[in-house]
Amino acid sequence: MANEEAVFFSRALTELTLSFHIIYATIGVGVPLMIMIAQWVGIQKNDEHYILLARRWARGFVITVAVGVVTGTAIGMQLSLLWPNFMELAGQVIALPLFMETFAFFFEAIFLGIYLYTWDRFDNQKKHLLLLVPVALGASFSAVFITIVNAFMNAPQGFDVMNGQLVNIQPVLAMFNPAMPTKVAHVVITAYMTAAFVLAAIAAFRLLKGSDHIYHKKALYLTMKLGLIFSIGALLIGDLSGKYLAAYQPEKLAAAEWHFETEGEAPLMLYGVLDGEEVKYAIKIPFALSILAHSNPSAEVTGLNEFPEDEIPPLYVHYLFDTMVTIGMFMILLSGLYWIGMKRNWTFIQSRWFRWLIVAGGPLTIIAIEAGWWYAEVGRQPWILHGLMRVPEAATTSGHVGTMLYLFAFLYLILGVGSVVVLTRMFRKNPVEREILDREAEKTAERQTKGGDEE
Amino acid sequence: MTLEIVGITVLISFLFGYVIVGSIDFGAGFFNAYSLLTGKDRILTNVIQRYLSPVWEVTNVFLVFFFVGIVGFFPSTAFYYGTVLLVPLSLSLLLLGIRGSYYAFETYGARGHKGYSFMYGAAGILLPASLSIVLTISEGGFVEMVDGQPILNYRELFMSPLTWSIVVLSIAAVLYVSAVFLTWYANEAGDREATDLLRKYALIWSLPTIITASGIIWELRAHNTEHYESLLDLWWMFALSFLLFIGTVWLLWKRKNYGLAFWLLIGQFALAFYAYGISHYPYLLYPHLTIYDGFTNTAMAAALVIAFILGFCLLIPSLFLLLRLFLFNKEYVRGRKEDEHA
């Protein structure tokens, strides 16, 4: 029944949509929290610069939100259009978090509209900040609910199978599946981390491009500090994810680590190439895989040879895993050095090459997000619903998927180019130096019209 | 009332919500682009932008809510509609993508950029046309089952007068609803010139709307007799709807009470829309799928209903706040400078 071409193009189109959407979605989840923190710091320190920071981030944020919303709508619909059999089956058990996600999204959308248009309506900035709380909550909870669906695909539970039918369905149990805690935590915290490092990259870039304004320095320090905290959090949760995989999806962990024989004292392999079952030129970290999987250097880690050949994912996921981990580690190091350097007045962190590294950190964290999601999705192959439904059984049988792939590639091209062009134009036309001057002039004018009694 | 009925009632209500807010939104985008083309942007752009700006994202959520909800309550729709709608809905998604993002690009990034305005204006007017195909397909006659898989007959679909009547109705209705609403909004804003122009648009589009709507009922007689007959059973709802239509047009003509005119229009569309929905019962897709054989299990249905009630309690006060701050706030509608976006 499965139509191979349709399966191939359905996978390609889903991958394309997710890869594009995840950039905007990650920013969309992380940036509201950054805006909130900046505005809060601004209120606490009574520092206009942080308020302006929040305001300018919010302005850029709207553009990314718009692309996130429309591409999110696309992936939401594509789930049914490309994977109708999957949605028909899984929908019976996991429709609840999908439905809840629309409420989170609704909530976020309403308050974002209000927040954007009420910057100057309140004399008390704190009231305005309060309006941002539902935006940040809505954004994060969207991520939570959607990730729960993805977790369910990895560790389905909350139902029994009887004669090919799903019976005894428990929607809430399905939501709280074993993959859920680590996956949700990992997705949310890496979104915060990515947002922080992307904003840090922008600040560092402005400083490199000749602006020496204290505004950018404050922005850089704030975002690097936040990035450090969130990246350490991501590391800790990543460790827990390893333990989840060892317990529930050992083949996914083993594929990432090219671990063939079940054995204790397993080393962690970084990079290298595969020759048959032999790993060459890899950096071996002794005991590390056993520790990652079971917190015990001598613990036994299940190898790929325990699984039938048609139930293990493609082995290139190793590189995806390594890319994600390497970038994560690099960002901890970079932001850690920056933070200590600021405390101890090390001059090299103010140097151009170090700032260029921070600039590179923005795109690098995005690459880490992509690699992480590719690993998550390809590592689940051949399953769409682990142990229950294979990808080819789930796909549409339509003969037009190939054409749709080109259609959407075209759409993402215009959205990607459009958003970049608009964002650059927006901030280039209104640099922060000018906006600070404008605001001061406005304030003086206001004071004078009030009668100058403050003089 | 069974869970099936509760589910479909919630969904059709959100679809109705989308039809109204979406119409206002898409029509406004079109009028904005049209006014740029005819050099009347000085009159219209301000009013349109003030309304559209804080609400565009909310509009989109109504649609997402509907399609996530329908797959949740009726998972079999994913199989039937998911398979046959790949091409039509992908086109809708393309238009939606352009419409949503280019609207934001123009509003927040490049105010007054003509290219962007035309892009989202055009995408917005094609969008209802492409989405309306779903309603046409639901009437049956375009989907065959081959080897247990539903197949859409494109030739049949494109040759059918029903398809094109529904397309025309969707466009006419979008422009009509939008123009009536904006007439009221412009009047509230105290903008005489814009009110007059929009009132003219509303009157122009009233006739095509009512003619195509009646025409479609007549066409259904040949296309889907069963549906046609259950439509006739609800004749009084359509009659009432027509009276409300007359009321709106009369008020517009007499330049009286534009607010009431808009609420009558909501009544007109609600009656017609629900009558259409009720007469469609029990079919989701003639004759393959009914709300009973496509329904999810009781546990999931109960969970969804509870989630809906809780979500709704959160949503209603928030929506109310949004409306109070922008739509029904005289100060905002008239345009104080302080309310510019971030």
Side-chain angles (χ1 to χ4, degrees):
Chain A
M1 193 172 80
N3 166 349
E4 258 176 57
E5 200 187 280
V7 175
F8 172 79
F9 283 118
S10 294
R11 287 189 64 188
L13 179 48
T14 308
E15 181 169 4
L16 178 70
T17 303
L18 275 178
S19 302
F20 187 71
H21 172 65
I22 201 62
I23 300 172
Y24 294 89
T26 303
I27 292 172
V29 171
V31 170
L33 184 73
M34 303 301 134
I35 301 175
M36 218 164 93
I37 294 172
Q39 202 175 353
W40 173 250
V41 171
I43 294 168
Q44 289 305 306
K45 293 190 173 171
N46 199 11
D47 185 334
E48 265 295 304
H49 286 158
Y50 287 99
I51 306 266
L52 192 61
L53 196 59
R55 196 164 179 157
R56 286 171 70 89
W57 283 348
R59 228 179 267 157
F61 174 65
V62 199
I63 301 294
T64 61
V65 162
V67 180
V69 167
V70 297
T71 52
T73 310
I75 187 66
M77 241 185 226
Q78 280 175 358
L79 277 180
S80 294
L81 297 177
L82 299 173
W83 311 102
N85 304 315
F86 164 70
M87 282 305 280
E88 192 184 20
L89 183 76
Q92 298 174 42
V93 193
I94 202 65
L96 184 61
L98 270 175
F99 193 58
M100 288 160 102
E101 196 263 354
T102 58
F103 277 106
F105 175 31
F106 225 134
F107 204 50
E108 179 196 346
I110 291 173
F111 281 92
L112 181 63
I114 298 176
Y115 179 76
L116 285 176
Y117 283 86
T118 49
W119 269 96
D120 295 312
R121 257 201 214 187
F122 303 102
D123 290 326
N124 185 350
Q125 271 282 333
K126 276 187 190 160
K127 281 189 190 161
H128 187 236
L129 178 62
L130 270 183
L131 289 170
L132 190 59
V133 176
V135 179
L137 277 179
S140 292
F141 271 94
S142 290
V144 168
F145 291 132
I146 270 317
T147 311
I148 287 178
V149 179
N150 187 266
F152 176 80
M153 294 162 75
N154 283 280
Q157 70 166 31
F159 58 90
D160 295 316
V161 185
M162 209 188 267
N163 306 327
Q165 297 284 317
L166 302 187
V167 292
N168 197 14
I169 286 163
Q170 294 165 281
V172 177
L173 196 65
M175 281 178 70
F176 291 93
N177 60 69
M180 178 257 185
T182 44
K183 201 165 204 82
V184 165
H186 194 62
V187 164
V188 172
I189 203 152
T190 50
Y192 298 154
M193 168 187 158
T194 307
F197 286 131
V198 166
L199 294 171
I202 295 171
F205 187 74
R206 294 310 313 156
L207 286 169
L208 277 168
K209 286 290 158 191
S211 168
D212 209 26
H213 204 284
I214 181 82
Y215 168 91
H216 296 302
K217 289 183 180 158
K218 286 176 180 170
L220 187 61
Y221 186 56
L222 178 69
T223 48
M224 287 298 270
K225 217 162 48 175
L226 290 170
L228 177 63
I229 295 167
F230 291 128
S231 51
I232 292 173
L235 174 75
L236 298 177
I237 294 161
D239 179 64
L240 293 175
S241 303
K243 291 172 180 46
Y244 155 78
L245 284 178
Y248 292 92
Q249 288 177 287
E251 76 279 18
K252 195 172 182 177
L253 183 65
E257 284 306 321
W258 286 348
H259 183 66
F260 292 93
E261 292 299 332
T262 302
E263 58 182 13
E265 302 183 356
L268 194 81
M269 306 278 188
L270 281 175
Y271 307 102
V273 289
L274 203 55
D275 182 11
E277 282 194 10
E278 204 187 330
V279 184
K280 284 184 176 167
Y281 318 114
I283 305 168
K284 263 192 190 178
I285 310 175
F287 310 115
L289 182 56
S290 286
I291 294 172
L292 175 65
H294 302 288
S295 313
N296 175 354
S298 58
E300 199 166 79
V301 181
T302 316
L304 285 170
N305 292 345
E306 308 291 322
F307 297 91
E309 208 148 290
D310 67 339
E311 284 184 17
I312 55 173
L315 295 180
Y316 73 83
V317 295
H318 174 70
Y319 297 113
L320 298 175
F321 183 82
D322 284 356
T323 307
M324 169 181 83
V325 172
T326 311
I327 293 174
M329 292 296 185
F330 172 74
M331 291 316 293
I332 293 180
L333 192 72
L334 189 73
S335 53
L337 270 179
Y338 177 86
W339 184 68
I340 300 171
M342 285 297 279
K343 294 271 163 212
R344 310 210 152 184
N345 281 324
W346 292 344
T347 46
F348 77 88
I349 58 159
Q350 313 282 3
S351 64
R352 288 185 70 81
W353 65 267
F354 195 84
R355 281 190 178 147
W356 275 117
L357 284 180
I358 298 176
V359 173
L364 278 176
T365 37
I366 300 269
I367 291 172
I369 291 283
E370 297 282 4
W373 273 108
W374 291 330
Y375 169 55
E377 294 303 289
V378 179
R380 198 187 55 243
Q381 300 303 313
W383 305 107
I384 191 165
L385 206 51
H386 192 256
L388 277 174
M389 188 185 236
R390 284 166 194 266
V391 169
E393 302 162 51
T396 180
T397 46
S398 168
H400 303 284
V401 195
T403 325
M404 297 304 115
L405 176 65
Y406 299 118
L407 187 81
F408 280 101
F410 165 74
L411 173 68
Y412 302 147
L413 187 74
I414 35 179
L415 297 190
V417 171
S419 58
V420 171
V421 168
V422 167
L423 281 171
T424 351
R425 258 186 62 155
M426 197 156 113
F427 290 105
R428 191 163 289 161
K429 267 172 72 182
N430 186 14
V432 71
E433 287 82 358
R434 193 160 83 213
E435 194 167 357
I436 290 171
L437 287 178
D438 283 354
R439 291 185 71 79
E440 273 163 13
E442 245 172 62
K443 282 213 172 126
T444 332
E446 223 169 81
R447 227 173 281 146
Q448 276 162 0
T449 50
K450 272 182 186 163
D453 43 20
E454 280 108 321
E455 286 296 316
Chain B
M1 207 146 101
T2 60
L3 277 171
E4 285 89 342
I5 304 281
V6 174
I8 198 70
T9 309
V10 166
L11 292 173
I12 202 173
S13 302
F14 269 79
L15 188 58
F16 177 68
Y18 182 64
V19 166
I20 297 298
V21 293
S23 292
I24 295 175
D25 199 61
F26 301 141
F30 176 79
F31 289 130
N32 184 49
Y34 181 72
S35 71
L36 280 171
L37 202 68
T38 52
K40 290 189 173 125
D41 48 314
R42 187 185 49 82
I43 309 177
L44 285 190
T45 298
N46 203 8
V47 165
I48 290 176
Q49 292 280 4
R50 284 207 89 68
Y51 163 73
L52 274 184
S53 304
V55 300
W56 64 274
E57 210 191 336
V58 177
T59 308
N60 196 53
V61 191
F62 276 92
L63 176 68
V64 176
F65 188 99
F66 175 75
F67 75 71
V68 169
I70 199 155
V71 173
F73 278 104
F74 306 97
S76 298
T77 51
F79 172 68
Y80 284 94
Y81 280 107
T83 309
V84 299
L85 289 177
L86 175 70
V87 176
L89 281 189
S90 290
L91 288 174
S92 303
L93 285 174
L94 178 81
L95 293 167
L96 195 89
I98 292 174
R99 152 78 214 189
S101 49
Y102 275 80
Y103 170 72
F105 294 169
E106 195 261 351
T107 309
Y108 302 102
R111 244 321 139 90
H113 190 296
K114 279 197 180 174
Y116 294 175
S117 303
F118 287 139
M119 238 163 128
Y120 80 73
I125 206 69
L126 294 173
L127 190 53
S130 79
L131 287 174
S132 72
I133 300 275
V134 182
L135 292 181
T136 316
I137 291 173
S138 81
E139 289 302 332
F142 306 109
V143 176
E144 301 162 63
M145 297 300 285
V146 180
D147 298 332
Q149 292 289 325
I151 306 280
L152 181 61
N153 188 336
Y154 288 96
R155 213 187 119 77
E156 194 93 7
L157 185 65
F158 278 94
M159 301 300 273
S160 167
L162 184 69
T163 310
W164 296 106
S165 318
I166 292 181
V167 164
V168 174
L169 172 65
S170 70
I171 294 175
V174 158
L175 295 174
Y176 177 56
V177 172
S178 187
V180 173
F181 173 81
L182 289 171
T183 307
W184 175 36
Y185 197 76
N187 191 51
E188 288 289 299
D191 189 335
R192 239 343 249 291
E193 235 180 332
T195 313
D196 283 347
L197 188 60
L198 289 160
R199 169 184 165 272
K200 198 177 88 190
Y201 292 156
L203 287 171
I204 289 174
W205 287 103
S206 64
L207 217 54
T209 305
I210 203 75
I211 290 172
T212 43
S214 326
I216 286 165
I217 297 181
W218 183 76
E219 271 166 358
L220 271 179
R221 191 170 66 157
H223 187 87
N224 182 343
T225 324
E226 195 181 345
H227 190 189
Y228 175 73
E229 271 160 17
S230 37
L231 274 174
L232 285 195
D233 290 340
L234 295 168
W235 63 270
W236 56 274
M237 286 179 86
F238 289 103
L240 219 56
S241 171
F242 183 74
L243 287 178
L244 295 180
F245 168 77
I246 299 289
T248 308
V249 174
W250 187 78
L251 286 172
L252 286 173
W253 187 259
K254 290 276 169 195
R255 297 175 195 272
K256 270 186 196 160
N257 206 339
Y258 294 130
L260 180 64
F262 178 69
W263 289 111
L264 291 182
L265 171 130
I266 294 284
Q268 174 211 334
F269 273 79
L271 278 165
F273 194 81
Y274 281 94
Y276 168 82
I278 296 166
S279 64
H280 217 285
Y281 172 89
Y283 289 102
L284 287 168
L285 173 62
Y286 279 99
H288 304 291
L289 185 64
T290 70
I291 60 170
Y292 296 102
D293 41 51
F295 200 57
T296 190
N297 54 85
T298 339
M300 180 55 77
L304 290 176
V305 170
I306 293 169
F308 174 76
I309 292 168
L310 294 179
F312 210 60
C313 294
L314 210 63
L315 213 61
I316 288 299
S318 324
L319 269 177
F320 180 74
L321 183 68
L322 181 74
L323 294 181
R324 216 183 63 121
L325 281 173
F326 300 109
L327 202 51
F328 300 123
N329 184 319
K330 281 235 153 83
E331 294 273 302
Y332 174 80
V333 175
R334 296 215 168 125
R336 295 188 316 171
K337 187 180 165 294
E338 289 98 277
D339 289 324
E340 282 300 313
H341 70 79

